């Protein structure tokens, strides 16, 4: 329960991040702990090693409000669904907080605002590996969006038809913006730029078909390249409008997760709206995995601005 959580498959619905801790030999660890009279260390050693988990645990111990304690317990449970350690270098996207973090050498190296999927097209929780940065990407319009738009994609906006697909040429109006991360995954969900950058000023940023649009996308991409390419070099490539792939020296894990409570840079815990209504299905982990309660009624999200829901990468 400390290592893997208490939730069943139904309570984890929508969570597609593989937990490598399932391979840990708990019996061998337990035998060693009993032999050394070190059971306290045994249980402590099974907890997630993230500073985020530690902050939630401290907040849970001092929180008096029952509802907030339940939210904290559910998000501590989500951390148990992840590998105990995410490593020293990775990207963590928290869809509930509309935020992406870059971690380098075990330290948070920066945060960026993101736009995530609408309630009708939620961003899934999954992991992948970022292998490169694609500048001036083409956009292959997913079949679901073709149906939604009734196949109307004007040539004057850069759309072309070939091989049974509709694609959009690189350029300022491209739905993926000027950069897309190369991060192969079975959901065809990517982190990318957007021409609708005014949406980042909004507090509730659930406007996409599931993909993740990131603010200051070129700055973010340049940071991922580890100074292999300067911002000036990146801008020069973008100016050519030629599609160019720049590989990362080392592949970078990316975790697309969902935490409705998370610690800020100062360690203080913030609470976020449960936009996808995923909290209630978990139940109460602090009660040993109690069954989930009936979902509460959802308040409507703000309407998506016109033209804001077209940029999921295929």
């Amino acid at each position: 329960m400390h290592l893997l959580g208490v939730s069943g498959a139904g309570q984890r619905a929508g969570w597609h991040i593989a937990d490598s801790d399932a391979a840990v030999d708990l019996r061998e660890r337990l035998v060693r702990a009993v032999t050394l009279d070190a059971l306290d260390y045994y249980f402590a050693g099974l907890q997630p090693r993230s500073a985020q988990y530690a902050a939630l645990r401290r907040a849970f111990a001092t929180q008096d409000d029952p509802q907030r304690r339940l939210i904290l317990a559910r998000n501590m449970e989500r951390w148990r669904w992840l590998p105990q350690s995410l490593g020293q270098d990775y990207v963590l996207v928290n869809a509930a907080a509309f935020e992406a973090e870059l971690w380098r050498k075990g330290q948070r190296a920066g945060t960026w605002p993101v736009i995530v999927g609408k309630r009708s097209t939620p961003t899934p929780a999954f992991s992948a590996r970022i292998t490169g940065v694609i500048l001036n990407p083409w956009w292959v319009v997913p079949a679901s969006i073709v149906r939604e738009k009734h196949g109307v994609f004007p040539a004057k906006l850069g759309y072309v038809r070939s091989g049974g697909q509709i694609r959009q040429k690189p350029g300022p109006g491209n739905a993926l913006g000027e950069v897309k991360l190369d991060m192969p995954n079975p959901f065809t969900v990517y982190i990318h730029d957007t021409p609708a950058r005014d949406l980042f000023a909004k507090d509730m940023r659930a406007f996409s078909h599931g993909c993740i649009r990131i603010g200051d996308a070129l700055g973010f991409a340049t940071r991922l390249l580890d100074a292999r390419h300067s911002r000036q070099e990146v801008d020069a490539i973008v100016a050519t409008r030629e599609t160019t792939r720049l590989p990362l020296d080392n592949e970078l894990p990316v975790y697309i997760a969902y935490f409705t409570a998370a610690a800020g840079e100062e360690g203080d815990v913030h609470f976020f709206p449960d936009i996808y209504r995923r909290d209630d299905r978990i139940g109460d982990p602090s009660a040993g995995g109690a069954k989930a309660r009936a979902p509460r009624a959802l308040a409507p999200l703000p309407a998506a601005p016109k033209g804001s829901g077209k940029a999921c990468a295929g």
Side-chain angles (χ1 to χ4, degrees):
M1 291 164 68
H2 275 292
L3 184 66
L4 304 175
V6 298
S7 301
Q11 294 168 314
R12 300 179 191 228
W15 188 274
H16 306 283
I17 302 175
D19 187 357
S20 55
D21 303 329
V24 171
D25 187 342
L26 288 176
R27 184 178 183 84
E28 187 274 333
R29 281 196 189 185
L30 179 59
V31 169
R32 187 167 66 248
V34 170
T35 302
L36 299 174
D37 192 21
L39 280 176
D40 286 347
Y41 291 103
Y42 168 75
F43 286 113
L46 298 179
Q47 295 174 9
R49 295 172 188 159
S50 167
Q52 281 281 339
Y53 177 83
L56 294 178
R57 192 166 183 262
R58 288 193 299 270
F60 180 84
T62 59
Q63 180 58 248
D64 295 326
D65 180 81
Q67 186 58 34
R68 289 206 160 189
R69 277 177 63 85
L70 183 56
I71 294 171
L72 291 167
R74 287 167 169 168
N75 284 281
M76 290 166 64
E77 174 75 351
R78 287 188 175 107
W79 276 103
R80 299 181 193 108
W81 300 347
L82 288 163
Q84 256 195 309
S85 173
L86 301 185
Q88 295 289 298
D89 304 288
Y90 58 90
V91 172
L92 176 65
V93 175
N94 183 355
F98 308 110
E99 187 174 78
E101 299 174 344
L102 172 63
W103 287 75
R104 291 292 195 192
K105 298 180 179 179
Q107 301 294 320
R108 187 189 281 111
T111 61
W112 286 261
V114 299
I115 292 166
V116 299
K118 300 173 288 187
R119 278 194 179 133
S120 58
T121 54
T123 297
F126 69 98
S127 60
R129 300 189 73 82
I130 302 170
T131 61
V133 169
I134 300 173
L135 302 175
N136 298 316
W138 281 75
W139 181 41
V140 180
V141 186
S144 60
I145 299 181
V146 173
R147 291 192 296 270
E148 179 182 318
K149 301 293 184 181
H150 305 291
V152 179
F153 294 88
K156 65 181 180 181
L157 297 181
Y159 292 102
V160 297
R161 298 172 185 267
S162 64
Q165 292 181 321
I166 299 176
R167 305 168 69 213
Q168 189 180 27
K169 298 176 182 178
N174 184 282
L176 301 182
E178 297 172 326
V179 60
K180 164 189 167 182
L181 300 189
D182 196 356
M183 43 180 282
N185 65 85
F187 304 98
T188 60
V189 166
Y190 296 90
I191 299 174
H192 62 79
D193 187 18
T194 174
R197 293 172 185 145
D198 57 309
L199 297 180
F200 290 108
K202 298 183 178 295
D203 293 329
M204 190 73 71
R205 296 189 293 273
F207 299 129
S208 83
H209 280 81
C211 279
I212 299 139
R213 311 175 199 171
I214 191 162
D216 184 25
L218 289 177
F220 178 70
T222 304
R223 291 288 295 274
L224 296 186
L225 291 167
D226 279 333
R228 183 176 179 181
H229 298 273
S230 69
R231 178 59 187 268
Q232 291 75 19
E233 291 174 320
V234 169
D235 287 343
I237 295 172
V238 170
T240 68
R241 296 200 183 178
E242 294 291 330
T243 302
T244 304
R245 184 184 184 279
L246 304 177
L248 268 60
D249 285 336
N250 297 295
E251 294 183 1
L252 192 64
V254 55
Y255 299 91
I256 314 298
Y258 186 83
F259 295 104
T260 53
E265 294 190 26
E266 303 301 321
D268 49 331
V269 172
H270 303 277
F271 295 85
F272 307 103
D274 183 15
I275 58 171
Y276 296 150
R277 198 165 52 179
R278 291 176 177 170
D279 273 2
D280 283 332
R281 71 172 60 139
I282 296 177
D284 185 358
S286 65
K291 291 183 179 179
R293 301 177 302 163
R296 298 187 304 271
L298 279 174
L301 283 175
K306 185 178 180 181
S308 67
K310 66 179 182 179
C312 194

